[in-house]
Amino acid sequence: MHILGIETSCDETGVAIYHTQKGLLAHRLYSQIRTHAEYGGVVPELASRDHIKKLVPLIRQVIADANISKRQIDGVAYTAGPGLVGALLVGAAVARSLAWTLGVPSIGVHHMEGHLLAPLMEPDPPRFPFVALLVSGGHTQLIEVEGIGHYRILGESLDDAAGEAFDKTAKMLDLGYPGGPAIAELAEEGDVQRFEFPRPMTDRPGLDFSFSGLKTHTLLTFASTAKTRQDKADIAKAFQEAVVDTLVIKCRRALKKTRLTRLVVAGGVSANRSMRDKLRRMAREESFQVYFPRLEFCGDNGAMIAFAGCQRLLAGQTEPPEISAFPRWPLSTLAPITLEQDSAARES
């Protein structure tokens, strides 16, 4: 089966084609970073307009890259939520229309499930069950994963997610948008000994996160400095170390609580080199396995949507031809794929 995947949840237009036997055949991504950078963040209306302009040309390019015809597409998957409602509706409308025209099934994919399953596209994928840390722009969650759709939320952010904290801190330091890469780059010049920032909610039991207090601490620290480049670099270093250490501590707790030995880390923040290094070091020291998506699939992309949609279509899950989007959509409400469905899908 050839599955076309479409991602339009925010400011990236992603399209990909995934084949059930051959794997990922082609993918393309158009980023709107330059469009939104001058505003310091995503402008929803501009995002929707750019998706309208770029999506159909990208679909044509990906079909050509995969060396197939559109009539060889067997199913269409698209991001149905969570995300910006206007942006989601663009992808949903195009996906549903294309599927109806071709006479093939289509399915709305949960954006965070796409991230969660992205490491399964790698040559050495993790086996179920595992603990997943999802760290993207608006989400920070720890999840016990027994299978596709079998998700138990262990902990999540009570206010700002890690990605939001990175973006807001970068704006505070006048580093531009997006904030994560800017903070990480400047932190390379920072002195780790100069500032000691708190590791929020690690002094008490539990697996929830809170980064708003850390953001306030960063603001107060910045207000007391001369605001030179070195000051900013030292603050960026201290902030990044605090976020990364907090995530690592919570991952260790989640693994001990569930007694699992596999950790999957996905989402935009999973590209952070400091976090990858610390989690890999912890994995070696404490004898567990850690898995990441390749760097190009850490952020939003069509490949993860094509793959996640493929798993559900193979299991026989389809939806009526309705255009719908869900700006808020709890991951725990997704329908599970049963063992019987998964076995049947693998055999097909």
Side-chain angles (χ1 to χ4, degrees):
M1 288 177 63
H2 293 93
I3 305 300
L4 176 72
I6 295 173
E7 156 61 21
T8 62
S9 65
C10 191
D11 61 341
E12 312 276 8
T13 311
V15 180
I17 291 180
Y18 183 86
H19 189 266
T20 47
Q21 275 78 46
K22 300 176 183 178
L24 185 64
L25 298 184
H27 69 96
R28 284 186 179 251
L29 184 72
Y30 173 77
S31 175
Q32 302 176 10
I33 286 178
R34 290 184 180 180
T35 300
H36 301 287
E38 62 178 296
Y39 302 99
V42 178
V43 181
E45 177 63 23
L46 295 181
S48 300
R49 290 181 182 181
D50 248 11
H51 288 312
I52 291 171
K53 290 190 294 185
K54 300 297 183 181
L55 185 51
V56 172
L58 278 179
I59 291 173
R60 290 180 178 141
Q61 290 172 352
V62 166
I63 290 173
D65 291 345
N67 196 28
I68 64 172
S69 73
K70 63 182 179 181
R71 292 294 172 185
Q72 290 178 269
I73 294 173
D74 300 295
V76 181
Y78 66 94
T79 302
L84 303 176
V85 65
L88 291 168
L89 284 171
V90 173
V94 172
R96 291 292 192 184
S97 299
L98 181 60
W100 182 82
T101 301
L102 297 176
V104 300
S106 59
I107 191 164
V109 172
H110 193 291
H111 180 74
M112 297 310 295
E113 181 172 68
H115 277 303
L116 190 156
L117 299 181
L120 274 66
M121 290 190 289
E122 298 303 307
D124 181 26
R127 291 181 292 106
F128 298 115
F130 53 75
V131 169
L133 171 66
L134 297 185
V135 273
S136 68
H139 299 81
T140 302
Q141 295 179 309
L142 278 165
I143 304 165
E144 183 177 5
V145 181
E146 294 184 1
I148 298 175
H150 296 266
Y151 307 134
R152 182 167 72 97
I153 307 298
L154 301 172
E156 57 191 340
S157 180
L158 304 178
D159 40 58
D160 285 354
E164 291 174 318
F166 269 103
D167 285 341
K168 291 177 181 178
T169 298
K171 190 172 185 178
M172 184 192 310
L173 300 179
D174 196 26
L175 299 181
Y177 172 85
I183 290 283
E185 182 178 356
L186 186 59
E188 294 293 321
E189 305 173 26
D191 178 5
V192 73
Q193 302 296 328
R194 183 175 176 189
F195 299 113
E196 180 66 28
F197 282 14
R199 275 57 175 164
M201 295 187 72
T202 59
D203 59 348
R204 68 195 77 173
L207 295 171
D208 287 329
F209 302 90
S210 172
F211 293 106
S212 62
L214 177 60
K215 183 184 62 180
T216 302
H217 184 91
T218 304
L219 176 62
L220 294 174
T221 302
F222 184 52
S224 66
T225 70
K227 301 174 180 59
T228 65
R229 181 175 178 83
Q230 190 59 52
D231 290 330
K232 292 181 179 181
D234 295 342
I235 289 173
K237 184 71 171 181
F239 170 81
Q240 177 177 260
E241 292 299 296
V243 172
V244 168
D245 285 350
T246 299
L247 295 173
V248 170
I249 289 168
K250 298 286 186 170
C251 285
R252 180 186 289 113
R253 287 184 185 177
L255 290 166
K256 288 183 178 179
K257 178 178 180 178
T258 59
R259 298 183 181 180
L260 295 175
T261 59
R262 287 180 289 274
L263 174 69
V264 165
V265 185
V269 183
S270 68
N272 183 278
R273 188 171 69 179
S274 176
M275 183 175 70
R276 286 186 173 226
D277 289 345
K278 289 192 175 185
L279 284 173
R280 283 172 174 149
R281 189 181 312 125
M282 184 176 75
R284 289 193 300 269
E285 293 172 353
E286 302 187 17
S287 300
F288 69 87
Q289 297 170 292
V290 61
Y291 300 85
F292 302 93
R294 69 193 79 169
L295 290 176
E296 63 184 320
F297 295 149
C298 289
D300 297 349
N301 62 87
M304 68 182 191
I305 302 303
F307 179 78
C310 180
Q311 308 313 304
R312 291 191 172 274
L313 288 171
L314 280 173
Q317 296 185 6
T318 58
E319 297 173 352
E322 299 174 357
I323 297 174
S324 57
F326 309 97
R328 298 181 182 275
W329 189 6
L331 189 65
S332 57
T333 64
L334 294 185
I337 291 179
T338 66
L339 292 176
E340 292 78 9
Q341 287 175 320
D342 187 59
S343 297
R346 302 294 173 191
E347 289 172 3
S348 65

